[in-house]
Amino acid sequence: MQALLRCPHGQETGWENQQGLRVYRHIADGSTCGLLNGLLVTPEELMLERCRSFLQHRRFIAAAELVEYAERLQVAGSRRQRQEIHEFLLCFHASLKARELVYKTLQEFVLTDGVQEFRQLFKLVALAFSYPRCQKQAREYKSKVKELLQFSGAALMVLLQMIGAAKTMTPAVQCFCEEAAFQLRYEFFPAQEKQAAYKSILEFAERIK
């Protein structure tokens, strides 16, 4: 049996010929892959199977360790680990059956006193509900920073230094400075009609230093 691809269960899958038919099996345990062997797989079934595999193999335990709610919502880990969390979020939001499976699993943890498993899985459920809002807030935040940059341009960093804000390490100020620096470097391109305003602000900043 030759390794061929990673199936929707998240396992390495190979195939073998049986009476002229190609049969897909999970290499780890030799079990057949119902999704790849089926004649028709709907998106709903794919998402449900991904979610089921995520729960059955307890991958949510390691995934929850990558979510940090301390000062601002962050998801750490490697690109592959973050991708798995995003796949879970996608399945959770897009599939009613996947959500039902998650809720049923949480209930089983309650009945079996699986405190640690309940805590870790519920952490991802909370992330699933807060993530879209955080994304929306992030877009609004970036938009507001861009409006400020359209007024102040590169002089913003000078003004921040003048009031001492750029020297602080509080999360909010640090986040603001990082976003402003990113936009100035990669996103913000000053319009020609704004040049006079930038020049005036820079001259004003120099006078009151």
Side-chain angles (χ1 to χ4, degrees):
M1 185 166 62
Q2 299 178 358
L4 191 68
L5 48 81
R6 183 175 294 275
C7 75
H9 297 98
Q11 300 187 47
E12 291 292 337
T13 306
W15 61 271
E16 58 187 4
N17 282 317
Q18 290 186 0
Q19 298 179 344
L21 297 177
R22 179 174 291 184
V23 178
Y24 293 93
R25 294 184 180 277
H26 298 138
I27 292 178
D29 56 10
S31 61
T32 58
C33 180
L35 289 174
L36 293 181
N37 289 327
L39 295 177
L40 178 63
V41 180
T42 66
E44 177 79 9
E45 290 171 324
L46 270 174
M47 288 186 287
L48 179 60
E49 285 301 316
R50 284 184 181 275
C51 186
R52 179 176 287 115
S53 176
F54 186 76
L55 298 173
Q56 286 180 345
H57 293 88
R58 297 294 194 268
R59 294 204 299 274
F60 60 86
I61 295 177
E65 295 294 334
L66 305 175
V67 180
E68 178 60 54
Y69 281 98
E71 295 169 335
R72 52 175 172 156
L73 178 62
Q74 298 182 74
V75 178
S78 66
R79 181 178 179 181
R80 181 173 179 179
Q81 290 171 316
R82 294 197 304 270
Q83 181 179 349
E84 184 166 50
I85 293 177
H86 290 154
E87 286 179 354
F88 170 79
L89 297 176
L90 172 64
C91 295
F92 185 87
H93 282 291
S95 171
L96 173 61
K97 291 183 179 180
R99 290 195 298 277
E100 290 176 343
L101 180 61
V102 171
Y103 297 146
K104 181 180 178 181
T105 304
L106 285 171
Q107 186 178 35
E108 290 174 354
F109 290 149
V110 171
L111 297 176
T112 59
D113 199 27
V115 178
Q116 183 66 15
E117 290 89 347
F118 179 91
R119 182 183 294 115
Q120 302 289 42
L121 180 56
F122 192 80
K123 191 174 185 180
L124 294 181
V125 172
L127 173 65
F129 280 107
S130 62
Y131 190 69
R133 180 178 179 183
C134 289
Q135 291 293 86
K136 181 175 181 291
Q137 289 176 337
R139 288 192 294 270
E140 292 175 350
Y141 176 71
K142 288 172 70 70
S143 175
K144 288 180 173 60
V145 173
K146 181 165 288 189
E147 289 175 2
L148 179 59
L149 290 175
Q150 288 174 342
F151 170 72
S152 62
L156 175 64
M157 291 307 176
V158 177
L159 297 172
L160 288 173
Q161 291 172 358
M162 286 169 44
I163 63 174
K167 298 178 182 179
T168 68
M169 294 303 293
T170 59
V173 174
Q174 185 177 6
C175 177
F176 171 72
C177 291
E178 288 174 357
E179 175 59 29
F182 181 88
Q183 288 201 28
L184 284 169
R185 181 174 298 177
Y186 298 110
E187 297 182 12
F188 180 70
F189 301 95
Q192 291 295 341
E193 62 270 18
K194 299 292 184 180
Q195 293 298 327
Y198 301 148
K199 183 178 180 181
S200 298
I201 292 173
L202 283 171
E203 291 174 351
F204 175 76
E206 288 294 327
R207 287 200 307 270
I208 62 176
K209 272 186 178 180

